[in-house]
Amino acid sequence: MQEPSFKQIKLSLERPYKDDNGAHILTLLDITPEGEHIHEQKESSTKLLGENLRRIFIERGSDFFDRTKGHELDDRPAGNTDDTSNTSENLEEDALGGHVMSAEELFKMRAEIIPQLLKQPNKDSTSLGEISLARDLLASLLSSSQSQADSSTANLSATVVTKPPPIVSVQAFNAQLTIGSKDEALRKAANVFKSAADSMERGRIKGEKYWVDALKVRRANWGLNPAPLPFGSATGKGADKTSKDFLISYGLEESSPHFRRQAVARIASDDSSVHGLVFLHRHHTRLRVSVSIVGADGVSMTSHNTPIKIDAKSPEGALKSAQQEVVEHEIFSHLVQEAGNLPTASARVSERLVIIDAAHGVELKFELLDDETALPDSSDTVGEKCNLIYFTLHALLLRRHGFLQAQRLGATGAIRAAIEAQPPTILQPIIDLLQYQVFCERIKSEVEKMVAALSVVGIPSTLRFDPVGETGLQLVQFFERTAGKVIGGEAVLRIDGRHTIRFTFLSPSSLTAHLSQATLTISSIPQLCQLLTDEVERCLLQRICERGRETYEHVGGTWFVDLSRNFHVSFGKDFNIDCSAFQLHKNTMKQGHLDKYSSNLTKEPLLSWIERIITNAASSSS
């Protein structure tokens, strides 16, 4: 069975003595602060031999060879030499520049040093051994005869040291240490290579994901702008000013520069972001619309809009959520600017809150909340009216942007300055709609009271109330850039199938009554109530005249409307109808008999009571 490839790798444990070029590696002694390496100098054998000979002349004297006869050393003192030795001694002293010790002086110095070394064996045992070894070596080298060589050999004996056979257990333990150290080194090297490969793979995957996200963003038609050059880049003539990266712009085209600068993102270069994008100026706040209505019983009811939830885990979803946030910030900025200039409402403005008293008993609130706070609570009342206001604000903002774009592209120069006008507002149409709703509700309540009062007295009446008379296409045109359009409706009250009262109204609070004899503009609710009572009274008196003519047709009597004689119609609270009938005495021509009708006390229909009164009056007169 073939061994794995990693087991066939052989690593040399021998210390390297040559580099890659084949040159010898010198022993490093020191490194200077300047970074210079100081290596150990290699000494040649010639230099070592010269140094040893020099030591012989210094220690034995310059006439050492002159005092040697054959292989025997002359024991004469150095002072008894002849002139020739003196001359050589002088030359040696001149050459060495110092005194040369004689053999007696060297022996005397040895006799002084050795006892001192023997007294301190622990510290100077090495020095004593070196001196003894040097002495025996020189004695053996300087021996002049074979006998002396034999004696020196006896003094300097040779010992052969054999390596003892290894112990099996120790040898196995040493083998385990060697293998374990090699295995650990190999594992560390493998871990280094593995970590480097993993790092390279992560870099490759990160780079691929970067450009895949960039292609997804571009495919979704988001704006890509060149990123500015890094700080410190060359910007002079001839410098490379090409951008190496890009930024994602998700703001609206006709927004102000302040909001377009905030609507910028870039693709993340690390894994810190879930959706892979980094938003530079995001506040994580949402716009909430609230409407508080005070009912007839004095209880206030508040409703909120439903925030739109967008999955922000993908780059496209994150960009949509960020775009929605910056659009809501722009809407809120316009609301703050326009809140102080409302002609028909009062407002209170703070940094993140706008409260407007839109109409009687209606309070409109716009506030910027954090993402977590803006989520609807289970106890909150979600109103479709708030949702309608929320989306209407977006439509009005687009109308404003369309107006600015048409103004920017339509003309230039002096002509553009001449035709420039104020862009359409965002908040005023919302206030007009709320006021128009309250206005229509009050009109409908008053007219319905009259219908209920007529039904109580037995007079049939119908009401057709249509507060919005426009079609869907006409309502969409209300949000076009051509301002001046209003919403209108009508109400038709038909009494007893004969008489008709028609009202038309326009936002925010314009009411017109169309009568058979005139067209009147009504400016208040009391004026509307007075008009209703007058018209209903006229209709009832005409109906009484018709009944009278039918009853006295055989007599030939004439009936006409007279507010001071015979029949009188009056109205109480909530248009409760009361009627009184009086009869003149035929002899004295003064008031003789008075009959009264009240809708609260009499359950008989009014026309039946009138017919009965007329019939009784006719029978009594006959």
Side-chain angles (χ1 to χ4, degrees):
M1 182 177 178
Q2 189 178 0
E3 294 183 353
S5 58
F6 70 89
K7 289 187 177 182
Q8 299 177 0
I9 299 176
K10 296 182 180 180
L11 299 178
S12 177
L13 300 179
E14 183 182 0
R15 181 179 178 182
Y17 58 92
K18 288 186 179 181
D19 57 9
D20 296 338
N21 299 326
H24 288 278
I25 299 177
L26 302 178
T27 304
L28 183 64
L29 297 179
D30 195 6
I31 300 177
T32 61
E34 292 77 11
E36 180 182 359
H37 292 195
I38 300 177
H39 299 281
E40 181 182 4
Q41 299 294 333
K42 185 178 180 181
E43 297 181 357
S44 62
S45 58
T46 305
K47 185 177 180 182
L48 291 176
L49 180 59
E51 185 67 25
N52 292 335
L53 292 175
R54 180 175 174 274
R55 289 181 59 189
I56 291 174
F57 285 110
I58 294 174
E59 296 176 0
R60 299 290 183 176
S62 60
D63 56 347
F64 174 75
F65 292 102
D66 296 337
R67 291 186 289 110
T68 303
K69 295 180 179 180
H71 296 283
E72 296 181 358
L73 179 63
D74 190 2
D75 294 334
R76 293 179 301 169
N80 298 329
T81 57
D82 52 5
D83 297 336
T84 305
S85 62
N86 293 334
T87 305
S88 60
E89 183 180 356
N90 295 333
L91 293 174
E92 185 68 19
E93 291 178 358
D94 296 336
L96 299 177
H99 175 67
V100 179
M101 298 179 67
S102 62
E104 291 78 5
E105 293 175 347
L106 291 173
F107 181 77
K108 184 179 180 180
M109 181 182 68
R110 177 176 174 272
E112 293 176 357
I113 293 176
I114 289 178
Q116 297 179 2
L117 296 177
L118 292 175
K119 293 179 181 179
Q120 300 177 355
N122 295 332
K123 296 180 61 177
D124 299 326
S125 58
T126 304
S127 302
L128 179 59
E130 290 179 354
I131 292 176
S132 301
L133 181 61
R135 181 197 63 187
D136 296 339
L137 179 61
L138 289 176
S140 63
L141 292 177
L142 298 177
S143 61
S144 58
S145 61
Q146 185 67 27
S147 59
Q148 291 178 354
D150 295 338
S151 63
S152 63
T153 304
N155 295 332
L156 184 62
S157 60
T159 305
V160 178
V161 180
T162 8
K163 183 178 181 181
I167 305 173
V168 178
S169 60
V170 176
Q171 188 177 8
F173 183 71
N174 293 337
Q176 291 178 1
L177 289 178
T178 305
I179 294 174
S181 61
K182 290 182 179 180
D183 182 69
E184 184 180 3
L186 290 175
R187 289 181 183 273
K188 289 182 179 179
N191 290 334
V192 170
F193 283 112
K194 183 179 179 180
S195 61
D198 292 343
S199 177
M200 294 174 63
E201 182 66 16
R202 287 194 300 269
R204 182 188 65 82
I205 295 175
K206 191 182 301 181
E208 289 182 356
K209 184 177 182 300
Y210 184 89
W211 292 110
V212 167
D213 292 343
L215 292 176
K216 289 181 180 179
V217 171
R218 187 66 188 92
R219 185 178 58 185
N221 204 25
W222 294 99
L224 300 182
N225 299 326
L229 296 176
F231 180 75
S233 301
T235 57
K237 185 177 181 180
D240 185 11
K241 301 179 183 179
T242 306
S243 177
K244 302 301 187 297
D245 203 351
F246 59 88
L247 297 177
I248 305 172
S249 176
Y250 54 86
L252 299 182
E253 183 180 0
E254 294 300 327
S255 299
S256 60
H258 171 69
F259 292 102
R260 288 203 305 269
R261 284 193 297 266
Q262 288 186 351
V264 173
R266 63 177 177 85
I267 298 180
S269 58
D270 51 10
D271 299 334
S272 59
S273 178
V274 177
H275 42 69
L277 297 177
V278 176
F279 296 95
L280 306 178
H281 306 285
R282 192 171 178 181
H283 302 283
H284 298 283
T285 55
R286 298 296 303 273
L287 177 65
R288 187 170 76 172
V289 181
S290 305
V291 176
S292 299
I293 300 177
V294 179
D297 52 356
V299 179
S300 177
M301 183 177 180
T302 304
S303 59
H304 311 285
N305 68 303
T306 306
I308 301 176
K309 297 181 180 179
I310 300 177
D311 186 12
K313 294 183 179 180
S314 62
E316 186 175 358
L319 288 173
K320 287 182 179 179
S321 178
Q323 185 185 52
Q324 186 177 10
E325 178 183 327
V326 74
V327 168
E328 291 177 356
H329 274 264
E330 184 177 1
I331 291 175
F332 188 80
S333 67
H334 289 299
L335 295 178
V336 171
Q337 294 176 3
E338 298 177 8
N341 302 322
L342 294 176
T344 58
S346 60
R348 301 184 297 275
V349 180
S350 63
E351 183 179 1
R352 301 178 66 174
L353 178 65
V354 177
I355 302 176
I356 302 172
D357 296 329
H360 178 69
V362 178
E363 184 182 75
L364 181 61
K365 183 189 298 183
F366 303 98
E367 52 188 338
L368 288 177
L369 302 176
D370 297 335
D371 290 340
E372 294 79 8
T373 312
L375 295 177
D377 194 3
S378 57
S379 60
D380 293 343
T381 303
V382 178
E384 298 300 332
K385 184 187 300 184
C386 299
N387 292 333
L388 178 61
I389 294 175
Y390 176 80
F391 292 109
T392 302
L393 289 173
H394 288 73
L396 294 174
L397 179 65
L398 294 179
R399 182 182 73 168
R400 180 186 178 91
H401 286 180
F403 177 83
L404 295 176
Q405 184 181 20
Q407 192 177 38
R408 176 172 55 87
L409 301 178
T412 57
I415 302 177
R416 176 181 174 181
I419 66 172
E420 187 170 358
Q422 293 294 330
T425 59
I426 294 178
L427 182 58
Q428 187 61 46
I430 302 297
I431 302 300
D432 292 344
L433 290 177
L434 291 176
Q435 292 178 349
Y436 179 68
Q437 181 190 12
V438 175
F439 172 70
C440 291
E441 290 177 353
R442 296 186 65 183
I443 292 176
K444 185 178 181 180
S445 65
E446 296 297 331
V447 178
E448 285 180 345
K449 289 179 182 178
M450 180 60 72
V451 173
L454 292 173
S455 300
V456 169
V457 298
I459 299 177
S461 60
T462 57
L463 173 64
R464 182 173 61 84
F465 194 89
D466 189 6
V468 180
E470 288 80 7
T471 62
L473 180 60
Q474 292 174 343
L475 287 177
V476 172
Q477 292 177 354
F478 176 75
F479 301 106
E480 289 183 354
R481 61 182 179 86
T482 55
K485 292 184 176 295
V486 293
I487 296 178
E490 67 173 359
V492 178
L493 175 61
R494 190 169 182 82
I495 303 172
D496 198 17
R498 300 185 179 189
H499 305 280
T500 302
I501 305 175
R502 177 172 173 264
F503 299 96
T504 58
F505 25 82
L506 299 174
S507 63
S509 58
S510 176
L511 177 62
T512 303
H514 301 272
L515 307 177
S516 58
Q517 65 274 15
T519 300
L520 303 177
T521 300
I522 300 175
S523 57
S524 63
I525 295 298
Q527 186 178 358
L528 172 64
C529 296
Q530 185 64 38
L531 176 66
L532 289 174
T533 55
D534 293 344
E535 290 297 317
V536 170
E537 183 180 5
R538 186 177 65 86
C539 294
L540 292 178
L541 292 178
Q542 289 180 356
R543 183 60 173 159
I544 293 172
C545 292
E546 292 177 0
R547 286 297 179 93
R549 283 194 294 267
E550 293 175 359
T551 304
Y552 289 93
E553 185 178 1
H554 63 285
V555 182
T558 302
W559 287 76
F560 58 90
V561 176
D562 187 357
L563 299 181
S564 61
R565 297 178 64 186
N566 296 333
F567 287 94
H568 177 70
V569 179
S570 60
F571 296 89
K573 183 180 180 181
D574 294 334
F575 300 109
N576 292 328
I577 300 176
D578 297 331
C579 184
S580 60
F582 58 91
Q583 182 180 4
L584 297 177
H585 196 275
K586 61 180 180 179
N587 297 326
T588 61
M589 298 304 293
K590 294 182 179 179
Q591 181 176 356
H593 183 70
L594 177 64
D595 295 319
K596 292 184 177 180
Y597 176 87
S598 177
S599 58
N600 296 329
L601 301 177
T602 307
K603 302 301 181 182
E604 185 181 5
L606 177 61
L607 295 181
S608 300
W609 180 80
I610 292 174
E611 185 175 358
R612 181 170 56 84
I613 294 298
I614 294 175
T615 304
N616 294 336
S619 60
S620 61
S621 60
S622 59

